Amino acid sequence: MSLQNTLEDLRNLDIGDLNWDRIGVWPLAGRAFFWLLAVALIIGGTYWFFVKDLNVTLASKKEQEITLQKDFDKKYDKADRKSVV
């Protein structure tokens, strides 16, 4: 089956004619579209339920790191001045 035939099948695909009980006999274009949609939903769901919350936590930790670094620098300078005297 050539790419031209596959594109033609995709243009002629009528979702209303597809039998959901027999996905295995769908035209290649229909199966490919269905699998791409399923993969996109899985990736989107993974991001939505797992990665999104991790990004919020990461931003919080970055702010905390900046605060701790400033506090460390102040204490370091104070200790350095005491050691010079």
Side-chain angles (χ1 to χ4, degrees):
M1 184 175 251
S2 69
L3 178 62
Q4 187 65 27
N5 290 342
T6 304
L7 292 175
E8 186 65 32
D9 287 345
L10 188 59
R11 280 189 221 110
N12 294 331
L13 183 64
D14 184 14
I15 295 177
D17 290 340
L18 299 177
N19 183 355
W20 289 93
D21 295 329
R22 297 179 44 143
I23 294 175
V25 296
W26 283 6
L28 178 61
R31 286 182 284 163
F33 176 77
F34 177 77
W35 282 111
L36 288 174
L37 180 64
V39 168
L41 288 174
I42 290 169
I43 291 172
T46 301
Y47 174 79
W48 182 261
F49 290 109
F50 299 108
V51 177
K52 187 176 79 164
D53 294 336
L54 292 175
N55 284 334
V56 172
T57 304
L58 178 63
S60 170
K61 296 295 181 182
K62 283 183 178 181
E63 290 175 11
Q64 183 182 9
E65 179 186 13
I66 291 169
T67 303
L68 290 172
Q69 184 66 42
K70 287 178 182 178
D71 187 40
F72 174 79
D73 289 340
K74 287 179 186 177
K75 290 179 180 180
Y76 180 81
D77 289 340
K78 185 177 180 180
D80 189 38
R81 275 186 255 131
K82 285 185 179 180
S83 67
V84 171
V85 175

